[in-house]
């Protein structure tokens, strides 16, 4: 067994802040995968409450941030809220898996 670490930015929120829809008969992890949400966690084998779900965005230097990148972040935040009912945050984090 090996542990890998990557990192990046994700537009979303921690799994402890939302649940799958009431009519979904499965786990948060399965639902997130089915609707196309990415996930990142700072701990190996983290449960859903310790995992951030959302949509990844590319890392960019502050000097390279352009309108298109900001528009992409805002669009992904709207998609996240439409799926979860929760306001998204832009989160930079490690992903340990």
């Amino acid at each position: 067994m090996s542990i890998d670490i990557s990192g990046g930015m994700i537009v979303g929120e921690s799994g402890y802040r939302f649940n799958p829809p009431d009519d979904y008969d499965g786990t948060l992890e399965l639902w997130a995968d089915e609707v196309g949400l990415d996930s990142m966690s700072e701990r190996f084998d983290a449960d859903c409450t310790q995992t951030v779900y959302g949509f990844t965005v590319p890392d960019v230097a502050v000097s390279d941030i352009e309108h298109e990148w900001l528009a992409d972040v805002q669009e992904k935040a709207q998609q996240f809220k439409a799926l979860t009912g929760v306001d998204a945050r832009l989160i930079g984090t490690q992903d340990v898996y």
Side-chain angles (χ1 to χ4, degrees):
M1 176 169 83
S2 66
I3 297 175
D4 292 316
I5 300 173
S6 64
M9 294 190 296
I10 188 167
V11 178
E13 188 54 89
S14 176
Y16 75 86
R17 296 199 178 254
F18 66 98
N19 294 304
D22 291 337
D23 62 347
Y24 183 78
D25 189 29
T27 65
L28 177 58
E29 295 93 335
L30 289 173
W31 175 79
D33 188 54
E34 288 178 15
V35 298
L37 293 177
D38 300 312
S39 64
M40 299 176 88
S41 58
E42 293 183 338
R43 254 189 40 188
F44 184 74
D45 285 343
D47 67 23
C48 66
T49 64
Q50 299 164 326
T51 301
V52 176
Y53 296 92
F55 300 101
T56 56
V57 293
D59 293 336
V60 296
V62 172
S63 60
D64 293 334
I65 293 176
E66 297 177 0
H67 176 72
E68 292 82 20
W69 186 86
L70 289 173
D72 183 45
V73 169
Q74 291 169 337
E75 179 182 327
K76 288 176 178 177
Q78 291 173 355
Q79 290 174 338
F80 184 81
K81 184 160 188 172
L83 286 169
T84 66
V86 174
D87 289 328
R89 296 182 298 144
L90 177 59
I91 302 168
T93 187
Q94 292 181 355
D95 187 22
V96 181
Y97 52 100

